[in-house]
Amino acid sequence: MKNTRILLAACLMAAPLMAHADEDKLFIPQWLGAQYTFVDQHQYSLHSPYQSELSLRPQGDTKRSHTFGAYFGVNLPLHLQFYFDVEMFKGEGVSGATGLGGLTNGDVIRSGTAGLPKKPYVARRYLRWSLPLGDETDDVERGQDQLPGKEATHRVDVKVGKMAVSDDFDKNRYANGTRTQFMDWSLFNNTAWDFAADTRGYTDGVMIAWVNPTWTLRYGIYRMPYEANGQKLVSSLGDSNGQQVELTLQPQADGWALRFLAFRNEARMGIYRDAIAAALATGQRPDILADDAPGRHKYGFTVNGELPLADHGDTGLFMRAGWNDGRTESFVFTEVDRSLSGGFQLSGAHWARPDDHLSIAVAIDGLSPEHREYLALGGQGFVLGDGRLNYGREEIVEAYYSYSPIKHLTLSPDIQYIRHPGYNRDRGPARFVALRAHLEI
C-alpha cells in the first residue's frame, strides 16, 4: 500500500499543472494522464497427461493483476519535448504466465522477472524532437505521451531514450492495447515480431520517422537484453540490438491502413539445430542456453491492417500476419515463429450505447521445424516446455465486451478458448474467463 500511495501522490501533485497552463508555454510540466487496470482471471482445469514447471497448471488457476501508471510531459525549446512515465505492477498471471505462446493477460509482461520488486519503476524517459516540413498542421489532444497543441502533418520525428518499441511500431486501431482491448498477447501485438525489450517491456533506443498525411516511414534501433527474457540490457547498441523498419500506408486519416514491418535482431542467442545436435550426441536433454553466443541473428516480417466499416470507425476489421526465421531462440517477447490473426469490433451505437463495443478475434500461432523438434526432445524456452510435444498449431479465440458505466471507467468481461496450448495436441483445450476494470483520467 505504501508504494501505491507514493504513485497516487505523484499524480495528485502534478494534477494542477494538467491543462491550465498555456499549451505553447515552455518548461511547464503537464500531467498527461493516469491509469489503473485490474484483471481477475480464471483458468479452468484441462486435460494434461504430462507437464513440467512451464506448462499450464492442469488443475486450473485463478490470479489477479494490478497496474498503475502516471504519465508526464513538458515542451522544451527547439521543437523538443520530454516525456516521463512511472508505473507499478502487482499480482501475477495464471500458471505463472507460462505454458502458451499467446499468453492470456497482456498486463503481466509488466511484472518482469520473479526477482523484481513490486514497486514503482520508470517505464519511459525520452526526448522527442519534431521538425515541421510544412505549414499544414493538425490539432492533437492531451493523452499518454502526447502533449496538446498543434502538430505538423509533414514532419520528421526523432525519439531518444527509454521507451517501448511497440509505442511506435505495429500499432492497430482495434487491437493495440491490452488494458482496453484484446488481452491475449497474440492479439495486441504480432507475436512473431520478437522486438527488443527488458522483461517489463521497455528498452533504450532511437526511433526516426518521416511522417506524411498519407504515409509514414519509421526506423528504430534498440538495446537487446543480455540473455533471453532478461531484465539486464546490453551496455550499448554496438553489443547487440534490435532493428525494425515499418512503412504505413493510410490514404485518409480515418480510412483503411496497412503497415509492413521488417526486423532484424542481433543478440547472444542459441541455435536450435546446434542445441539438438549436442543433445543427440550426449544423450542429454537439449539446452538452448548452453549454446548461446554473441553475434547471432534473427529476422522476420509482419503485415498489419485495419479497415473501418461504420460508426465513424468504431466498427471495423483488423488482421495481422507475421513470420520469423525460427532458427535462433525466441529471445524477448514470447515463443512464436509464425502468426496469423484477425478480428472484428462492433460499436455499441447499434444498441444505444455508443461508448461500448463488442469484439471477437482469432489467432493461429506456429513454430519453425527446428523449434518444435527442440521442444519435442524435452527442451525448454522461457515460456514453453512440456517435456514432450505432439505438435499442433496453437489456436486462440478471444471475445470481450467493453462496458462504460461512467466516464473514465470501463469494465470488460473476457473469455478465451485455446486449442493445443503450448503447441501440444496432447494437452487442453484451455479455457479462461476474466473481468477487467480500467480507470483512466
Side-chain angles (χ1 to χ4, degrees):
M1 288 300 295
K2 179 181 178 182
N3 290 328
T4 304
R5 289 195 297 268
I6 292 172
L7 192 59
L8 292 176
C11 298
L12 293 174
M13 287 188 295
L17 301 173
M18 181 175 72
H20 300 294
D22 184 341
E23 65 186 22
D24 296 321
K25 195 171 183 179
L26 302 178
F27 309 118
I28 297 182
Q30 294 187 54
W31 174 44
L32 300 178
Q35 72 87 29
Y36 165 68
T37 305
F38 166 75
V39 175
D40 186 345
Q41 187 168 61
H42 175 70
Q43 170 203 315
Y44 291 95
S45 60
L46 69 151
H47 177 67
S48 176
Y50 52 86
Q51 62 274 330
S52 78
E53 66 274 12
L54 292 181
S55 301
L56 287 180
R57 294 168 186 167
Q59 70 274 21
D61 197 14
T62 300
K63 288 293 184 291
R64 297 174 178 87
S65 66
H66 311 258
T67 56
F68 307 81
Y71 310 99
F72 307 88
V74 59
N75 279 307
L76 300 173
L78 304 175
H79 305 291
L80 289 169
Q81 297 173 336
F82 177 70
Y83 293 92
F84 184 83
D85 299 345
V86 180
E87 292 185 341
M88 181 170 66
F89 177 91
K90 288 183 176 291
E92 57 184 295
V94 294
S95 292
T98 60
L100 293 164
L103 296 167
T104 57
N105 179 355
D107 247 3
V108 300
I109 196 172
R110 307 305 177 202
S111 67
T113 57
L116 286 177
K118 300 296 179 67
K119 64 181 184 180
Y121 58 87
V122 175
R124 297 173 184 84
R125 182 181 54 236
Y126 66 87
L127 276 170
R128 178 189 179 215
W129 179 61
S130 185
L131 178 66
L133 299 178
D135 297 329
E136 186 179 348
T137 62
D138 282 334
D139 293 324
V140 295
E141 298 180 353
R142 176 182 69 93
Q144 180 184 329
D145 301 323
Q146 181 175 284
L147 286 160
K150 293 188 178 295
E151 192 169 68
T153 58
H154 297 263
R155 67 184 187 274
V156 171
D157 283 344
V158 180
K159 292 169 62 174
V160 180
K162 183 176 185 180
M163 65 196 91
V165 181
S166 55
D167 290 344
D168 297 294
F169 295 88
D170 193 42
K171 297 173 74 67
N172 192 288
R173 178 173 187 165
Y174 305 108
N176 196 69
T178 184
R179 292 167 181 165
T180 57
Q181 297 174 319
F182 292 101
M183 291 171 50
D184 194 283
W185 290 28
S186 291
L187 292 171
F188 70 82
N189 269 133
N190 194 315
T191 41
W193 173 41
D194 201 20
F195 57 87
D198 61 19
T199 52
R200 292 198 194 276
Y202 302 104
T203 184
D204 300 312
V206 180
M207 190 284 299
I208 303 171
W210 184 7
V211 182
N212 294 274
T214 60
W215 60 272
T216 299
L217 183 64
R218 288 184 175 88
Y219 167 78
I221 180 169
Y222 306 87
R223 292 165 62 192
M224 292 286 284
Y226 183 77
E227 60 186 1
N229 196 38
Q231 180 64 16
K232 179 183 177 183
L233 299 173
V234 297
S235 58
S236 72
L237 291 173
D239 292 337
S240 69
N241 58 72
Q243 301 183 62
Q244 38 272 306
V245 60
E246 182 183 63
L247 174 65
T248 298
L249 303 176
Q250 190 169 20
Q252 297 180 354
D254 294 324
W256 63 266
L258 278 175
R259 300 173 181 90
F260 303 93
L261 182 148
F263 75 93
R264 181 183 184 272
N265 296 339
E266 179 179 342
R268 191 181 183 89
M269 296 184 281
I271 298 174
Y272 288 117
R273 285 294 181 204
D274 291 351
I276 292 168
L280 295 176
T282 61
Q284 301 295 315
R285 188 179 72 178
D287 182 5
I288 196 72
L289 297 179
D291 181 63
D292 65 356
R296 302 278 177 75
H297 302 99
K298 181 187 290 291
Y299 67 91
F301 309 93
T302 76
V303 61
N304 168 342
E306 60 190 59
L307 178 63
L309 297 176
D311 308 312
H312 306 288
D314 287 341
T315 293
L317 302 168
F318 79 93
M319 61 78 64
R320 282 187 174 99
W323 176 95
N324 70 58
D325 60 12
R327 175 177 171 270
T328 50
E329 65 179 307
S330 297
F331 204 72
V332 184
F333 187 32
T334 187
E335 297 194 52
V336 178
D337 302 319
R338 323 281 189 252
S339 184
L340 177 65
S341 65
F344 175 68
Q345 176 176 299
L346 179 64
S347 170
H350 296 273
W351 51 94
R353 292 202 56 84
D355 293 330
D356 296 1
H357 62 262
L358 173 67
S359 297
I360 185 168
V362 298
I364 302 173
D365 292 334
L367 299 177
S368 66
E370 46 265 64
H371 195 167
R372 68 184 77 158
E373 183 179 352
Y374 171 81
L375 294 173
L377 292 173
Q380 291 187 337
F382 57 86
V383 295
L384 292 181
D386 290 331
R388 285 182 272 164
L389 185 69
N390 179 12
Y391 177 74
R393 293 184 181 90
E394 193 172 84
E395 301 169 355
I396 300 165
V397 179
E398 180 178 0
Y400 74 92
Y401 183 85
S402 179
Y403 168 63
S404 298
I406 59 174
K407 190 176 181 180
H408 305 301
L409 175 65
T410 58
L411 302 175
S412 304
D414 180 279
I415 58 173
Q416 296 181 52
Y417 176 85
I418 302 179
R419 292 185 66 209
H420 314 143
Y423 309 96
N424 200 335
R425 292 180 179 272
D426 292 340
R427 299 171 54 77
R431 299 173 177 87
F432 307 82
V433 295
L435 178 63
R436 174 180 58 195
H438 176 73
L439 177 64
E440 186 171 331
I441 54 177

